[in-house]
Amino acid sequence: LVYELDRDLKFVKKYYLMDPDEVAKKVAAVANQGKVAKDPQVMIFQLGTNNWQSVEEPAPGSGILHEAHHIAYNAMPGCHSYSVYPSSIHSENPGREKVKVAKLPHKIPICESISPVSDKRWHGMPDSEVAEYMKRLEDLCYDQMALGEAETGRTYDFAIAHHCFLNQVVMQRVIRKRMAEGKAKIPLVAFCHGTALKMFNLEKKGDPEYPMRFKSMMEELKVFEDVQAVVTISEDNKNMFLSHFPSFKEENIFVSLNGYNPLIFYKYPDTLQEGLKQFTTKPYEGSGRAKETIPGDNYQKMVLFVGKFADWKRLDMVLKTAKLYEAKYPDICTVIAGTGGPNDIKYYQDMAYEEVGLEHTYFVGAQMQPDLARLASIANIGVFPSKSEPFGMVFIECMACGTPVIGANSGGPRDFVSEAVGCLIPDDELSVPSTDKLINDLFTAVCTALDEDWKTTKGPACLKLTEKFSMNEQCDGIVRKLSDILKL
């Protein structure tokens, strides 16, 4: 704030050395101090890319988040969320209201690597199959939007398309179809999870498995000219989006750190020994290894890995590090929760048992969220050393159970993992597969966590940190920020 005076030191004028729009916002904020903020009441439509969680069909993180957001929005006073998501198994979800399921004749397509339920890549699909997929979602979204308006008597304030890929194209078509019928244009919001951007990275690099196809399609269709706002899950995620779509208005992008479900992820009372006995291994067919219940009484320490079997998750680093710490701590075990395609499962299990020679590492397959919470509660440390993890919800869920974490210093975890709750090992080279340096750094970090008893010394800080990652808080923040950007 500058005060301008004349020669006699009399007031002439005052002004701010700041952008005029920013001045107006700050003046308005001061004027509104002490006033009670009204809860935003909005009508939302969401289109997901992945299935919601079920026993028959485990869900990847974005599917779990979509379901949680759907529930949270509908729990907000005066708010409604109607949703559509695909499934390769189910045609309906009787346990949820205001949602329709697009039953696919094939596995759910994925951008890169694998998911808990699919190894079917977009790049392996002919154009006709992609077009059929999009038409199926387009028709169902159109019908579901009409149903929502009929049931509530309200119009939509905005539509959220999860991932920065074909869902925006589908919603672009649905919105244009509605406009042709005389309905108002609905603002379109992209919720950027990260895997589509990783696929675009591979296309730009000229990876032979990912020839340039979908990024150029998005550009040709000018999809993001019809998107009014973008929600990203980390600063790294935001920067990656802008690297692919640099003309998008940066002021219409904001970071919303993902929330978790505190009704599921909390500190369970099980002891390590009794908790381990609840889990059975899942060897691949033809491995020659029989299923076994983990012998909990044999162990006093446990390292936990949770994630899909994709190379960038760097499970190879965990397994090769386990060989080192198993030699140092005879009473330690490693539990691997997650899955992948049949070839990936065989690859990592063979690496563990035949190549590395591990004797105290247990693959328990994909687990439902309550069981993941039980594993996180009994573990001494959670180890998730992904290369450029888009966000890292597994870190939050693990810490919500009172367990410190170790990751890699790249991607989303840099936004919230500090020395108070764990550590991030150096990741300057972003190497896949893992280098000896990464393995040695991870070994040092795991030994430090065990020797210094981080579970006791850092566990309380983990619980405290996750208080601000409530799913309800995240959704309330998203609605308020979008209401500001879209001027609702």
Side-chain angles (χ1 to χ4, degrees), residues 297-324:
D297 291 336
N298 293 352
Y299 303 109
Q300 298 296 323
K301 303 179 184 69
M302 170 187 158
V303 172
L304 174 66
F305 170 89
V306 178
K308 61 184 179 181
F309 291 2
D311 58 359
W312 61 273
K313 290 287 187 179
R314 296 200 285 212
L315 175 54
D316 65 314
M317 189 197 309
V318 177
L319 298 176
K320 292 174 182 178
T321 303
K323 181 68 172 180
L324 302 177

Side-chain angles (χ1 to χ4, degrees), residues 225-434:
E225 289 186 10
D226 283 337
V227 172
Q228 283 70 52
V230 174
V231 186
T232 69
I233 56 178
S234 68
E235 286 293 338
D236 188 74
N237 191 236
K238 173 183 174 181
N239 293 334
M240 193 186 301
F241 172 84
L242 286 171
S243 74
H244 288 292
F245 305 101
S247 63
F248 194 86
K249 292 182 180 179
E250 188 169 355
E251 60 268 28
N252 286 3
I253 308 174
F254 65 96
V255 175
S256 175
L257 299 180
N258 280 343
Y260 75 101
N261 189 342
L263 298 179
I264 294 177
F265 289 93
Y266 57 87
K267 194 172 182 179
Y268 285 62
D270 300 344
T271 64
L272 171 64
Q273 291 73 27
E274 293 305 313
L276 285 172
K277 293 176 186 177
Q278 299 179 40
F279 293 91
T280 302
T281 61
K282 296 182 179 179
Y284 67 84
E285 187 175 352
S287 68
R289 290 181 290 273
K291 293 182 180 180
E292 65 170 319
T293 299
I294 300 177
D297 291 336
N298 293 352
Y299 303 109
Q300 298 296 323
K301 303 179 184 69
M302 170 187 158
V303 172
L304 174 66
F305 170 89
V306 178
K308 61 184 179 181
F309 291 2
D311 58 359
W312 61 273
K313 290 287 187 179
R314 296 200 285 212
L315 175 54
D316 65 314
M317 189 197 309
V318 177
L319 298 176
K320 292 174 182 178
T321 303
K323 181 68 172 180
L324 302 177
Y325 61 69
E326 278 190 9
K328 182 174 180 178
Y329 305 99
D331 59 351
I332 194 169
C333 69
T334 306
V335 176
I336 309 297
T339 190
N343 291 336
D344 301 301
I345 295 171
K346 182 179 185 302
Y347 174 76
Y348 286 109
Q349 289 192 14
D350 286 350
M351 177 186 291
Y353 302 125
E354 297 179 14
E355 178 184 340
V356 181
L358 297 176
E359 298 180 1
H360 305 286
T361 294
Y362 302 93
F363 288 78
V364 297
Q367 297 289 325
M368 295 294 285
Q369 287 190 296
D371 292 316
L372 292 176
R374 290 186 174 90
L375 286 170
S377 295
I378 62 176
N380 293 81
I381 190 76
V383 176
F384 319 112
S386 303
K387 167 195 168 185
S388 301
E389 179 70 55
F391 174 69
M393 176 54 68
V394 67
F395 287 80
I396 302 298
E397 292 169 343
C398 187
M399 289 189 289
C401 299
T403 300
V405 293
I406 297 174
N409 192 20
S410 62
R414 292 182 295 185
D415 291 342
F416 55 86
V417 176
S418 68
E419 290 184 1
V421 296
C423 75
L424 299 176
I425 64 172
D427 198 16
D428 299 334
E429 297 181 3
L430 302 174
S431 300
V432 174
S434 304

